[in-house]
Structures are given as structure tokens and as C-alpha cells.
Amino acid sequence: MTVTEITEISKSRRKIWIDEEFAFVLYSSELRSYGIARDKEITEEAYRTIMTELLPKRAKLRAMNLLQKRSYTVSQLKDKLITGGYPEQIAQEAIDYVASFHYVNDESYACDFIECNKDKKSKRRILQDLAARGISGDTAEAAWEETAGEGSDELEKEQILHWIEKKNFDAEAASPKDKQKMMAFLYRKGFATDNIRKVLS
């Protein structure tokens, strides 16, 4: 295995390529410790130590530090670690580690997100937001049923009514054209067509 490229990320950190492929990120002092230099062979022992001891420990600590500051979905946390220069398999190892302590849990994240947003966002918008955060459709739907399932139609009607009042819209006095505009606006907000019609009527 030959070190084919070393690039600077910061004064102290370097990206390492082995055999033309990105391998990992190390501190500059570690390059000296493991005898890593451009166009030089990296020993099997050094590579094994970096991949099985040094980086896994560092990735787990990084994941823990990230989770102390805010909640992440599994997908978000993994992306954060990979963006930070950890190989995918090591990022996954760190995810499995923190998940074993329930520090990261997509089901709990989805339930908390729904609880915080169900009074101001439609179900469809919330599920879209969760999908953008890497939550699977099945997990999001299950969390919705657990958190807001009962009475969710009534909740959505209240939200629609809130938007109608906020827009000072008078459904009885409005022309068919104005009603269509309001329906389109509410639909873009993610509300169900049936609930929009019921409230407007």
C-alpha cells in the first residue's frame, strides 16, 4: 500500500490517500508516528492500528461530543462523521456504539420532532422534513401514529383554520377564484385536500 497523496485540511490535520483512494484523516504529528509520507509504503501494522484502534476510538468520541450539543438522526450523524474524514465503516462502528446506549435513535428523534411541530406544521410537511433528515417512511409513520395519530384530522383542521384567520380570509364572502387560491396555498402547506374542503365549507 502506497501513500499517493497528502493534503492539508488545517495546520494540524491532513487527508491521506492510499493507492489513489482517500483513506482517512490524521493529525500531522501522527504522520510522523506512523511513518507516513507521500510516495512511501505504509506498513500493514500501521494501517491496521490506525483502522482498528486509533480511528474507531476517535470516531466514537466525536459522535458522543456531537450528540452532547444536539440531537441527530442516524443518517445525519453518519454523514457528519464521514464529512469529518472518517471512513464509512468506522463511522458506522461509531453509530453502532452510541446507538447501543440509545444516544441516537431514529424512532425517538421522530417522536420528539413531531411533538415539537405538530401544532404548526401539517403531517405531510412533517413527514417530508423527517425524510430529509434520513428517517425512513415507515419509522416516520409509526412515530406519527404514536405521537399524533388520534385526533390528527381535527388537529389539521385547527391548523387550516389558523392559516385562514391569519390571511383574513372570509370563506363565505370569497369568490370561487379566491377560494381556489386559498386551497392551493393550503395544499402547498401540506394539508390534506379533504380537510381543506371541510374547513372552507
Side-chain angles (χ1 to χ4, degrees):
M1 295 183 292
T2 304
V3 177
T4 50
E5 188 71 40
I6 299 175
T7 60
E8 183 178 295
I9 299 174
S10 65
K11 286 185 177 181
S12 60
R13 298 173 75 232
R14 303 289 184 270
K15 271 187 174 183
I16 316 299
W17 274 261
I18 295 174
D19 296 333
E20 307 293 343
E21 292 187 1
F22 170 70
F24 39 67
V25 171
L26 295 177
Y27 289 101
S28 52
S29 60
E30 291 166 344
L31 269 62
R32 295 188 291 273
S33 299
Y34 293 104
I36 295 173
R38 186 171 177 175
D39 298 327
K40 281 187 62 177
E41 292 288 314
I42 180 172
T43 66
E44 291 284 348
E45 182 181 0
Y47 184 80
R48 180 193 60 76
T49 302
I50 291 167
M51 294 295 286
T52 63
E53 297 177 25
L54 178 70
L55 293 182
K57 181 180 179 181
R58 186 173 293 163
K60 290 170 187 175
L61 288 172
R62 176 62 175 153
M64 295 283 280
N65 287 335
L66 288 168
L67 289 166
Q68 283 181 349
K69 297 174 183 176
R70 52 159 282 197
S71 295
Y72 286 85
T73 65
V74 169
S75 176
Q76 286 175 326
L77 187 57
K78 188 174 182 180
D79 286 346
K80 191 79 172 175
L81 291 172
I82 291 173
T83 301
Y86 293 99
E88 185 171 355
Q89 69 271 26
I90 289 174
Q92 186 60 54
E93 188 177 333
I95 294 294
D96 293 341
Y97 175 78
V98 294
S100 70
F101 296 102
H102 306 289
Y103 294 147
V104 61
N105 183 296
D106 280 358
E107 291 81 4
S108 295
Y109 183 100
C111 285
D112 290 344
F113 185 86
I114 292 166
E115 190 63 46
C116 289
N117 290 279
K118 66 181 183 180
D119 291 331
K120 53 184 180 286
K121 290 186 178 183
S122 66
K123 176 185 176 182
R124 190 176 74 177
R125 181 61 58 83
I126 286 174
L127 297 188
Q128 287 173 347
D129 289 347
L130 288 172
R133 288 163 170 76
I135 302 286
S136 73
D138 288 345
T139 298
E141 282 285 356
W144 177 267
E145 286 305 313
E146 180 180 336
T147 308
E150 290 187 17
S152 60
D153 271 355
E154 291 307 311
L155 175 65
E156 185 160 286
K157 288 173 188 175
E158 288 175 14
Q159 292 171 330
I160 292 169
L161 190 58
H162 164 77
W163 278 107
I164 288 173
E165 290 172 349
K166 188 175 181 179
K167 291 284 187 179
N168 295 316
F169 183 79
D170 186 344
E172 291 183 2
S175 68
K177 185 177 180 180
D178 287 338
K179 279 189 177 181
Q180 283 297 119
K181 284 183 179 179
M182 178 54 72
M183 286 185 70
F185 167 79
L186 293 167
Y187 183 76
R188 288 195 300 273
K189 287 288 181 186
F191 298 117
T193 305
D194 283 350
N195 286 335
I196 295 171
R197 287 201 180 103
K198 285 175 184 175
V199 175
L200 286 179
S201 62

